[in-house]
Coordinates of all heavy atoms in Angstrom, one line a residue:
M790 N -36.5 12.5 6.0 CA -37.2 13.3 6.9 C -36.2 14.5 7.4 O -35.1 14.3 7.6 CB -37.6 12.4 8.2 CG -38.2 13.3 9.3 SD -38.4 12.5 10.8 CE -39.9 11.5 10.6
A791 N -36.9 15.7 7.5 CA -36.1 16.9 7.8 C -35.6 16.7 9.3 O -36.2 16.1 10.1 CB -36.9 18.1 7.8
V792 N -34.3 17.3 9.5 CA -33.8 17.3 10.8 C -33.5 18.8 11.2 O -32.8 19.6 10.5 CB -32.4 16.7 10.9 CG1 -31.7 16.8 12.1 CG2 -32.5 15.3 10.4
T793 N -34.1 19.2 12.4 CA -34.0 20.6 12.9 C -33.1 20.5 14.0 O -33.3 19.8 15.1 CB -35.3 21.1 13.2 OG1 -36.1 21.2 12.0 CG2 -35.2 22.6 13.7
T794 N -32.1 21.5 14.2 CA -31.3 21.5 15.3 C -31.4 23.0 15.9 O -31.5 24.0 15.1 CB -29.8 21.3 15.1 OG1 -29.4 22.1 14.0 CG2 -29.6 19.9 14.6
T795 N -31.5 23.2 17.1 CA -31.5 24.5 17.8 C -30.5 24.6 18.7 O -30.4 23.9 19.6 CB -33.0 24.6 18.6 OG1 -34.1 24.4 17.6 CG2 -33.2 26.0 19.2
L796 N -29.7 25.7 18.6 CA -28.6 26.0 19.4 C -29.1 27.1 20.4 O -29.6 28.2 19.9 CB -27.5 26.5 18.7 CG -26.4 27.3 19.3 CD1 -25.5 26.1 20.1 CD2 -25.4 27.9 18.5
T797 N -29.0 26.9 21.7 CA -29.4 27.8 22.6 C -28.2 28.1 23.6 O -27.5 27.2 24.2 CB -30.6 27.4 23.6 OG1 -31.6 27.0 22.8 CG2 -30.9 28.4 24.6
Q798 N -27.7 29.4 23.6 CA -26.5 29.9 24.4 C -27.1 30.9 25.3 O -27.8 31.8 25.1 CB -25.6 30.4 23.4 CG -25.0 29.6 22.4 CD -24.1 30.3 21.5 OE1 -24.5 31.4 21.0 NE2 -23.0 29.7 21.1
T799 N -26.5 30.9 26.5 CA -26.8 31.7 27.6 C -25.5 32.3 28.2 O -24.7 31.6 28.6 CB -27.7 31.1 28.8 OG1 -28.9 30.5 28.2 CG2 -28.0 32.1 29.8
R800 N -25.5 33.7 28.2 CA -24.2 34.3 28.8 C -24.5 34.8 30.2 O -25.8 35.1 30.5 CB -23.8 35.4 27.9 CG -24.7 36.5 27.6 CD -24.2 37.4 26.6 NE -25.4 38.4 26.1 CZ -25.2 39.3 25.2 NH1 -24.0 39.5 24.7 NH2 -26.1 40.2 25.0
P801 N -23.4 35.0 31.0 CA -23.5 35.4 32.4 C -24.2 36.8 32.5 O -24.9 37.1 33.5 CB -22.3 35.2 32.9 CG -21.2 35.3 31.8 CD -22.1 34.7 30.6
N802 N -23.7 37.7 31.5 CA -24.2 39.0 31.6 C -24.0 39.7 30.2 O -23.4 39.2 29.4 CB -23.6 39.9 32.6 CG -22.1 40.0 32.5 OD1 -21.6 40.5 31.5 ND2 -21.2 39.3 33.4
T803 N -24.7 40.9 29.9 CA -24.5 41.4 28.7 C -23.1 42.1 28.4 O -22.8 42.5 27.3 CB -25.6 42.6 28.5 OG1 -25.4 43.5 29.6 CG2 -27.0 42.0 28.5
G804 N -22.3 42.1 29.3 CA -20.9 42.4 29.2 C -20.0 41.4 28.4 O -19.0 41.8 27.9
V805 N -20.5 40.3 28.3 CA -19.9 39.1 27.6 C -20.5 39.0 26.2 O -21.6 38.7 26.2 CB -19.9 37.8 28.5 CG1 -19.5 36.6 27.7 CG2 -19.4 38.0 29.8
A806 N -19.7 39.1 25.3 CA -20.2 39.0 23.9 C -20.3 37.5 23.5 O -19.6 36.6 24.0 CB -19.2 39.5 22.9
F807 N -21.4 37.2 22.7 CA -21.5 35.9 22.2 C -20.3 35.7 21.1 O -19.9 36.7 20.4 CB -22.9 35.7 21.5 CG -23.9 35.5 22.5 CD1 -24.9 36.6 22.6 CD2 -24.1 34.5 23.3 CE1 -25.9 36.3 23.5 CE2 -25.1 34.2 24.2 CZ -26.1 35.2 24.3
H808 N -20.0 34.3 20.9 CA -19.0 34.1 19.9 C -19.6 34.3 18.6 O -20.8 33.8 18.3 CB -18.5 32.6 20.1 CG -17.4 32.2 19.1 ND1 -17.7 31.6 17.9 CD2 -16.1 32.4 19.3 CE1 -16.5 31.3 17.4 NE2 -15.6 31.9 18.1
N809 N -18.9 34.8 17.7 CA -19.4 35.0 16.2 C -18.9 34.0 15.2 O -17.8 33.6 15.4 CB -19.0 36.5 15.7 CG -19.9 37.5 16.5 OD1 -21.2 37.4 16.7 ND2 -19.4 38.6 16.9
A810 N -19.7 33.6 14.2 CA -19.4 32.6 13.4 C -18.2 33.1 12.5 O -18.2 34.3 12.1 CB -20.5 32.2 12.5
S811 N -17.3 32.2 12.1 CA -16.3 32.6 11.3 C -16.8 32.6 9.8 O -17.8 32.2 9.4 CB -15.1 31.4 11.3 OG -15.8 30.2 10.8
D812 N -16.1 33.4 9.0 CA -16.4 33.4 7.5 C -16.5 32.0 6.9 O -17.4 31.8 6.0 CB -15.5 34.2 6.8 CG -15.5 35.8 7.1 OD1 -16.7 36.2 7.7 OD2 -14.6 36.5 6.9
D813 N -15.6 31.1 7.3 CA -15.5 29.6 6.8 C -16.9 29.0 7.2 O -17.5 28.3 6.3 CB -14.4 28.9 7.3 CG -13.2 29.3 6.6 OD1 -13.1 29.9 5.6 OD2 -12.1 28.9 7.0
F814 N -17.3 29.2 8.3 CA -18.6 28.6 8.8 C -19.8 29.1 8.1 O -20.7 28.4 7.7 CB -18.7 28.6 10.3 CG -20.0 28.0 10.9 CD1 -20.0 26.7 10.9 CD2 -21.0 28.8 11.4 CE1 -21.3 26.1 11.5 CE2 -22.2 28.3 11.9 CZ -22.2 26.8 11.8
K815 N -19.8 30.5 7.9 CA -20.9 31.1 7.1 C -20.9 30.7 5.7 O -21.9 30.3 5.3 CB -20.6 32.7 7.3 CG -21.0 33.3 8.6 CD -20.6 34.7 8.5 CE -20.8 35.4 9.9 NZ -20.4 36.8 9.9
A816 N -19.6 30.3 5.3 CA -19.6 29.9 3.9 C -20.2 28.5 3.7 O -20.9 28.1 2.7 CB -18.1 29.8 3.4
V817 N -19.9 27.5 4.7 CA -20.4 26.2 4.6 C -21.9 26.2 4.7 O -22.7 25.5 3.9 CB -19.8 25.3 5.6 CG1 -20.5 25.4 7.0 CG2 -19.9 23.8 5.1
K818 N -22.5 27.1 5.6 CA -23.9 27.2 5.6 C -24.5 27.7 4.3 O -25.5 27.3 3.9 CB -24.3 28.2 6.9 CG -24.3 27.6 8.2 CD -25.0 28.3 9.2 CE -24.9 29.8 9.1 NZ -25.6 30.5 10.1
Q819 N -23.8 28.7 3.8 CA -24.5 29.3 2.6 C -24.4 28.2 1.4 O -25.3 28.2 0.6 CB -23.7 30.6 2.2 CG -24.3 31.5 1.1 CD -25.7 31.9 1.5 OE1 -26.0 32.4 2.4 NE2 -26.7 31.5 0.5
E820 N -23.4 27.6 1.3 CA -23.3 26.5 0.3 C -24.4 25.5 0.4 O -25.0 25.1 -0.6 CB -21.9 25.8 0.3 CG -20.6 26.6 0.0 CD -19.4 25.9 0.4 OE1 -19.3 24.7 0.7 OE2 -18.3 26.6 0.4
M821 N -24.7 25.2 1.6 CA -25.9 24.3 1.8 C -27.2 24.9 1.5 O -28.2 24.3 1.0 CB -25.8 23.6 3.2 CG -24.6 22.7 3.4 SD -24.6 21.9 4.9 CE -25.6 20.6 4.6
V822 N -27.4 26.1 1.8 CA -28.6 27.0 1.6 C -28.7 27.0 0.0 O -29.8 26.7 -0.5 CB -28.6 28.2 2.2 CG1 -29.7 29.1 1.6 CG2 -28.7 28.1 3.8
D823 N -27.6 27.3 -0.6 CA -27.7 27.5 -2.1 C -28.1 26.1 -2.8 O -28.7 26.0 -3.8 CB -26.4 27.9 -2.7 CG -26.2 29.4 -2.2 OD1 -27.1 30.2 -1.8 OD2 -25.0 29.9 -2.4
A824 N -27.5 24.9 -2.1 CA -27.8 23.6 -2.6 C -29.3 23.1 -2.3 O -29.6 22.1 -3.0 CB -26.8 22.6 -2.2
G825 N -29.9 23.9 -1.5 CA -31.3 23.5 -1.2 C -31.3 22.3 0.0 O -32.3 21.7 0.2
T826 N -30.2 22.2 0.7 CA -30.2 21.0 1.6 C -30.2 21.7 3.1 O -30.2 20.7 4.1 CB -28.8 20.3 1.5 OG1 -27.7 21.1 1.7 CG2 -28.8 19.5 0.2
L827 N -30.3 22.9 3.2 CA -30.3 23.6 4.6 C -31.2 24.8 4.4 O -31.1 25.6 3.5 CB -28.9 24.0 5.0 CG -28.8 25.0 6.2 CD1 -29.3 24.2 7.5 CD2 -27.4 25.4 6.4
V828 N -32.1 25.0 5.5 CA -32.8 26.2 5.7 C -32.2 26.8 7.0 O -32.4 26.2 8.1 CB -34.4 25.9 5.8 CG1 -35.0 27.2 6.1 CG2 -34.9 25.3 4.6
D829 N -31.7 27.9 6.9 CA -31.1 28.7 8.0 C -32.3 29.6 8.6 O -32.6 30.6 8.0 CB -30.1 29.6 7.6 CG -29.4 30.4 8.8 OD1 -29.9 30.3 10.0 OD2 -28.2 30.9 8.6
N830 N -32.9 29.1 9.6 CA -34.1 29.7 10.2 C -33.7 30.9 10.9 O -34.6 31.7 11.3 CB -35.0 28.8 11.0 CG -35.3 27.6 10.4 OD1 -36.1 27.7 9.4 ND2 -34.9 26.4 10.8
G831 N -32.5 31.2 11.1 CA -32.0 32.5 11.8 C -32.2 32.4 13.2 O -32.5 31.3 13.8
G832 N -32.0 33.4 13.9 CA -32.1 33.4 15.4 C -31.9 34.8 15.9 O -32.0 35.8 15.2
G833 N -31.8 34.9 17.1 CA -31.6 36.2 17.8 C -31.7 36.1 19.4 O -31.7 34.9 19.8
N834 N -31.5 37.1 20.0 CA -31.5 37.1 21.5 C -32.9 37.4 22.1 O -34.0 37.9 21.5 CB -30.6 38.4 21.9 CG -29.2 38.2 21.6 OD1 -28.9 37.2 20.9 ND2 -28.4 39.2 21.9
N835 N -33.1 36.9 23.2 CA -34.3 36.8 24.0 C -34.6 38.2 24.5 O -33.6 39.1 24.5 CB -34.6 35.7 25.0 CG -33.7 36.0 26.2 OD1 -32.9 36.8 26.2 ND2 -34.0 35.1 27.1
E836 N -35.6 38.6 25.1 CA -35.9 39.8 25.8 C -34.9 40.3 26.9 O -34.7 41.4 27.1 CB -37.4 40.0 26.2 CG -37.7 39.0 27.4 CD -38.0 37.5 27.0 OE1 -38.2 37.2 25.9 OE2 -38.1 36.6 27.9
T837 N -34.2 39.4 27.5 CA -33.2 39.7 28.6 C -31.9 40.0 27.9 O -31.0 40.5 28.6 CB -33.0 38.5 29.6 OG1 -32.5 37.5 29.0 CG2 -34.4 38.2 30.2
D838 N -31.7 39.7 26.6 CA -30.6 39.8 25.9 C -29.4 38.9 26.4 O -28.2 39.1 26.0 CB -30.0 41.2 25.9 CG -29.1 41.6 24.7 OD1 -29.4 41.0 23.6 OD2 -28.3 42.4 24.8
L839 N -29.8 37.9 27.2 CA -28.8 37.0 27.9 C -28.7 35.6 27.0 O -27.8 34.9 27.2 CB -29.1 36.8 29.3 CG -28.9 38.1 30.2 CD1 -29.3 37.6 31.7 CD2 -27.4 38.5 30.1
T840 N -29.9 35.4 26.4 CA -30.0 34.1 25.6 C -30.1 34.3 24.2 O -30.9 35.1 23.8 CB -31.2 33.2 26.2 OG1 -31.0 33.0 27.6 CG2 -31.3 31.8 25.5
R841 N -29.3 33.5 23.4 CA -29.4 33.5 22.0 C -29.8 32.2 21.4 O -29.2 31.2 21.9 CB -28.1 34.0 21.3 CG -28.1 34.1 19.8 CD -26.9 34.7 19.3 NE -25.7 33.9 19.4 CZ -24.4 34.2 19.0 NH1 -24.4 35.3 18.3 NH2 -23.4 33.5 19.1
I842 N -30.8 32.2 20.5 CA -31.3 30.9 20.0 C -31.2 31.0 18.5 O -31.6 32.1 17.8 CB -32.8 30.7 20.4 CG1 -32.8 30.6 21.9 CG2 -33.3 29.4 19.8 CD1 -34.3 30.6 22.4
W843 N -30.6 29.9 17.8 CA -30.5 29.8 16.4 C -31.1 28.5 15.9 O -30.7 27.6 16.5 CB -29.0 30.0 16.1 CG -28.8 30.5 14.6 CD1 -28.8 29.8 13.5 CD2 -28.7 31.8 14.1 NE1 -28.6 30.4 12.4 CE2 -28.6 31.9 12.8 CE3 -28.6 33.1 14.9 CZ2 -28.3 33.0 12.0 CZ3 -28.4 34.1 14.2 CH2 -28.3 34.1 12.8
T844 N -31.6 28.4 14.9 CA -32.2 27.1 14.4 C -31.9 26.9 12.9 O -31.9 27.9 12.1 CB -33.8 27.1 14.6 OG1 -34.1 27.5 15.9 CG2 -34.4 25.8 14.2
L845 N -31.4 25.7 12.7 CA -31.2 25.2 11.4 C -32.0 24.0 11.0 O -32.2 23.0 11.8 CB -29.7 24.9 11.2 CG -28.7 25.8 11.5 CD1 -27.3 25.3 11.4 CD2 -28.8 27.1 10.5
T846 N -32.5 23.8 9.7 CA -33.3 22.7 9.3 C -32.5 22.1 8.1 O -32.4 22.8 7.1 CB -34.7 23.0 9.0 OG1 -35.4 23.5 10.2 CG2 -35.5 21.9 8.7
F847 N -32.1 20.9 8.3 CA -31.5 20.1 7.1 C -32.6 19.1 6.5 O -33.5 18.7 7.0 CB -30.4 19.2 7.7 CG -29.4 20.1 8.5 CD1 -29.5 20.4 9.7 CD2 -28.2 20.6 7.8 CE1 -28.7 21.2 10.4 CE2 -27.2 21.2 8.4 CZ -27.4 21.6 9.8
T848 N -32.3 18.9 5.2 CA -33.3 18.3 4.5 C -33.4 16.7 5.0 O -34.5 16.1 4.9 CB -33.1 18.1 3.0 OG1 -31.6 17.7 2.9 CG2 -33.2 19.5 2.4
N849 N -32.4 16.1 5.5 CA -32.5 14.8 6.1 C -31.2 14.7 6.9 O -30.3 15.4 7.0 CB -32.4 13.9 4.9 CG -31.3 13.9 4.0 OD1 -30.2 14.1 4.3 ND2 -31.6 13.9 2.7
E850 N -31.1 13.4 7.5 CA -30.1 13.1 8.4 C -28.6 13.2 7.6 O -27.6 13.5 8.3 CB -30.2 11.6 9.0 CG -29.2 11.4 10.1 CD -29.2 12.4 11.3 OE1 -30.2 12.7 11.8 OE2 -28.2 12.8 11.8
D851 N -28.7 12.7 6.4 CA -27.3 12.7 5.7 C -26.9 14.1 5.5 O -25.5 14.3 5.6 CB -27.5 12.0 4.3 CG -27.7 10.5 4.3 OD1 -27.3 10.0 5.5 OD2 -28.3 9.9 3.3
T852 N -27.6 15.1 5.2 CA -27.2 16.5 5.0 C -26.8 17.0 6.4 O -25.7 17.8 6.5 CB -28.1 17.3 4.4 OG1 -29.4 17.3 5.0 CG2 -28.4 16.8 2.9
H853 N -27.4 16.7 7.5 CA -27.1 17.1 8.7 C -25.7 16.5 9.1 O -24.8 17.3 9.7 CB -28.1 16.7 9.8 CG -27.8 17.0 11.2 ND1 -27.4 16.1 12.1 CD2 -27.6 18.2 11.8 CE1 -27.2 16.7 13.3 NE2 -27.4 18.1 13.1
T854 N -25.5 15.3 8.9 CA -24.2 14.7 9.1 C -23.1 15.2 8.3 O -22.0 15.5 8.8 CB -24.2 13.1 8.7 OG1 -25.3 12.6 9.8 CG2 -23.0 12.4 9.2
A855 N -23.3 15.5 7.2 CA -22.4 16.2 6.2 C -21.9 17.5 6.7 O -20.7 17.9 6.8 CB -22.7 16.3 4.7
F856 N -22.8 18.3 7.2 CA -22.5 19.6 7.7 C -21.7 19.4 9.1 O -20.7 20.2 9.2 CB -23.9 20.2 8.1 CG -23.8 21.6 8.9 CD1 -23.6 22.7 8.3 CD2 -24.0 21.7 10.4 CE1 -23.5 24.0 8.9 CE2 -24.0 22.8 11.0 CZ -23.6 24.0 10.3
E857 N -22.1 18.6 10.0 CA -21.3 18.3 11.2 C -20.0 17.9 10.9 O -19.0 18.1 11.7 CB -22.0 17.3 12.1 CG -23.3 17.9 12.8 CD -24.0 16.9 13.7 OE1 -23.7 15.8 13.7 OE2 -24.6 17.5 14.6
N858 N -19.7 17.1 9.9 CA -18.4 16.5 9.6 C -17.5 17.5 8.8 O -16.3 17.0 8.5 CB -18.5 15.2 8.9 CG -19.2 14.1 9.7 OD1 -18.9 14.2 10.9 ND2 -19.7 13.0 9.1
D859 N -18.1 18.4 8.2 CA -17.2 19.4 7.4 C -16.2 20.0 8.3 O -16.5 20.5 9.4 CB -18.1 20.5 6.8 CG -17.5 21.4 5.8 OD1 -16.6 22.2 6.2 OD2 -17.8 21.3 4.6
A860 N -15.0 20.1 7.9 CA -13.8 20.6 8.6 C -14.1 22.0 9.1 O -13.7 22.4 10.2 CB -12.5 20.5 7.9
R861 N -14.8 22.8 8.3 CA -15.1 24.1 8.6 C -16.1 24.3 9.8 O -15.9 25.1 10.6 CB -15.5 24.9 7.5 CG -14.6 25.0 6.3 CD -15.2 25.5 5.0 NE -16.1 24.6 4.5 CZ -16.8 24.7 3.4 NH1 -16.8 25.9 2.7 NH2 -17.7 23.7 2.9
T862 N -17.0 23.4 9.8 CA -17.8 23.4 10.9 C -17.2 23.0 12.1 O -17.3 23.5 13.3 CB -19.1 22.4 10.6 OG1 -19.8 22.8 9.5 CG2 -20.0 22.3 11.8
Q863 N -16.4 21.9 12.1 CA -15.6 21.4 13.3 C -14.8 22.4 13.9 O -14.5 22.6 15.1 CB -14.9 20.1 12.9 CG -15.9 19.0 12.7 CD -15.3 17.7 12.2 OE1 -13.9 17.6 12.0 NE2 -16.0 16.5 12.0
S864 N -14.0 23.1 12.9 CA -13.2 24.2 13.5 C -13.9 25.3 14.2 O -13.5 25.8 15.2 CB -12.3 24.8 12.2 OG -11.6 25.9 12.6
Y865 N -15.1 25.7 13.6 CA -15.9 26.8 14.3 C -16.4 26.2 15.6 O -16.4 26.9 16.6 CB -17.1 27.1 13.4 CG -18.2 27.7 14.1 CD1 -18.1 29.0 14.6 CD2 -19.4 27.0 14.5 CE1 -19.1 29.6 15.3 CE2 -20.4 27.6 15.2 CZ -20.3 29.0 15.5 OH -21.3 29.4 16.3
V866 N -16.8 24.9 15.6 CA -17.4 24.4 17.0 C -16.3 24.4 17.9 O -16.5 24.8 19.1 CB -17.9 23.0 16.7 CG1 -18.2 22.3 18.0 CG2 -19.2 23.0 15.9
E867 N -15.1 24.0 17.5 CA -14.0 24.0 18.6 C -13.6 25.4 19.1 O -13.5 25.6 20.2 CB -12.8 23.3 17.9 CG -12.8 21.9 17.7 CD -11.7 21.4 16.8 OE1 -10.8 22.1 16.6 OE2 -11.8 20.2 16.4
A868 N -13.6 26.4 18.2 CA -13.3 27.7 18.6 C -14.4 28.2 19.5 O -14.2 28.9 20.5 CB -13.2 28.7 17.4
K869 N -15.6 28.0 19.1 CA -16.9 28.4 19.9 C -16.9 27.8 21.2 O -17.1 28.5 22.3 CB -18.1 28.1 19.1 CG -19.5 28.5 20.0 CD -20.7 28.2 19.2 CE -20.8 26.8 18.6 NZ -21.3 25.8 19.5
E870 N -16.6 26.5 21.4 CA -16.6 25.8 22.7 C -15.5 26.4 23.6 O -15.6 26.6 24.9 CB -16.4 24.3 22.4 CG -17.6 23.7 22.0 CD -17.5 22.1 21.7 OE1 -16.4 21.6 21.7 OE2 -18.5 21.5 21.3
S871 N -14.3 26.6 23.2 CA -13.2 27.2 23.8 C -13.6 28.6 24.3 O -13.3 28.9 25.5 CB -11.9 27.3 23.0 OG -11.4 26.1 22.7
Y872 N -14.1 29.5 23.4 CA -14.6 30.8 23.8 C -15.7 30.8 24.9 O -15.4 31.5 25.9 CB -15.2 31.5 22.5 CG -15.7 32.9 22.9 CD1 -14.8 33.9 22.8 CD2 -16.9 33.1 23.2 CE1 -15.1 35.3 23.2 CE2 -17.4 34.6 23.5 CZ -16.6 35.5 23.5 OH -17.0 36.7 23.8
N873 N -16.6 29.8 24.7 CA -17.7 29.8 25.8 C -17.2 29.3 27.0 O -17.7 29.9 28.1 CB -18.7 28.8 25.1 CG -19.6 29.4 24.0 OD1 -19.4 30.5 23.7 ND2 -20.4 28.5 23.4
L874 N -16.3 28.4 27.0 CA -15.7 27.9 28.4 C -15.0 29.0 29.0 O -15.2 29.2 30.2 CB -14.9 26.8 28.1 CG -14.2 26.2 29.3 CD1 -15.2 25.4 30.2 CD2 -13.1 25.0 28.9
A875 N -14.3 29.7 28.3 CA -13.4 30.9 28.9 C -14.4 32.1 29.4 O -13.9 32.8 30.3 CB -12.4 31.4 27.9
N876 N -15.6 32.2 28.9 CA -16.3 33.3 29.2 C -17.8 33.0 29.8 O -18.6 33.9 29.9 CB -16.7 34.1 27.7 CG -15.5 34.7 27.2 OD1 -15.1 35.8 27.7 ND2 -14.9 34.1 26.2
G877 N -17.8 31.7 30.3 CA -19.0 31.4 31.2 C -20.3 31.3 30.4 O -21.3 31.4 31.0
I878 N -20.2 30.9 29.0 CA -21.3 30.8 28.3 C -21.8 29.4 28.2 O -21.0 28.6 28.0 CB -21.2 31.4 26.8 CG1 -20.9 32.8 26.9 CG2 -22.5 31.1 25.9 CD1 -20.4 33.4 25.5
T879 N -23.0 29.1 28.5 CA -23.5 27.7 28.5 C -24.3 27.6 27.2 O -24.8 28.5 26.7 CB -24.5 27.4 29.7 OG1 -25.6 28.2 29.7 CG2 -23.6 27.4 31.0
E880 N -24.3 26.3 26.7 CA -24.9 26.0 25.4 C -25.6 24.7 25.5 O -25.1 23.6 26.1 CB -23.7 26.0 24.4 CG -24.1 25.6 23.0 CD -22.9 25.7 22.1 OE1 -22.5 26.9 21.9 OE2 -22.3 24.7 21.7
T881 N -26.7 24.6 24.7 CA -27.4 23.3 24.5 C -27.8 23.2 23.0 O -28.0 24.3 22.4 CB -28.7 23.2 25.3 OG1 -29.6 24.2 25.0 CG2 -28.5 23.1 26.8
I882 N -27.7 22.1 22.4 CA -28.2 21.9 21.1 C -29.3 20.7 21.1 O -29.0 19.6 21.5 CB -27.0 21.4 20.2 CG1 -25.8 22.4 20.2 CG2 -27.5 21.0 18.8 CD1 -24.6 22.2 19.5
D883 N -30.4 21.2 20.6 CA -31.5 20.2 20.7 C -31.8 19.9 19.2 O -31.7 20.5 18.3 CB -32.8 20.8 21.2 CG -32.6 21.1 22.6 OD1 -32.0 20.3 23.4 OD2 -33.0 22.2 23.1

């Protein structure tokens, strides 16, 4: 069964930039897209430009787990969490 995750980030104001994905993180996503195990549904900012939403759909729980356990994903998540904490950005993953 497919697994969809949605990342929602909200920044305090438009003067605070959202954290951007590293090239390594983009590579792991692209590898999975090329393998047919991930659909990157994309995302964008809402009308206030304060909230960014991004959605990924994995073919099943195993591919989702492999993505989360990849060292490149973990490195990206750690960097993003540190950046968000320092810049007042809140985040939820559904």
Side-chain angles (χ1 to χ4, degrees):
M790 175 192 280
V792 176
T793 299
T794 60
T795 302
L796 170 68
T797 304
Q798 299 172 309
T799 303
R800 58 187 173 178
N802 60 66
T803 57
V805 174
F807 287 112
H808 184 268
N809 289 317
S811 66
D812 288 341
D813 283 343
F814 180 71
K815 290 176 186 177
V817 84
K818 283 196 322 178
Q819 189 60 51
E820 289 168 14
M821 293 185 79
V822 167
D823 292 346
T826 59
L827 168 66
V828 175
D829 184 350
N830 301 300
N834 296 0
N835 72 354
E836 63 280 350
T837 68
D838 206 29
L839 295 176
T840 300
R841 177 169 71 176
I842 300 171
W843 204 276
T844 304
L845 302 174
T846 301
F847 301 87
T848 53
N849 55 46
E850 188 61 45
D851 290 342
T852 58
H853 179 248
T854 299
F856 175 79
E857 287 186 336
N858 289 339
D859 190 289
R861 296 168 293 179
T862 299
Q863 292 178 357
S864 177
Y865 162 71
V866 168
E867 290 171 11
K869 178 176 53 77
E870 287 175 351
S871 293
Y872 179 87
N873 288 351
L874 182 62
N876 289 284
I878 297 173
T879 60
E880 173 178 292
T881 60
I882 300 175
D883 297 316

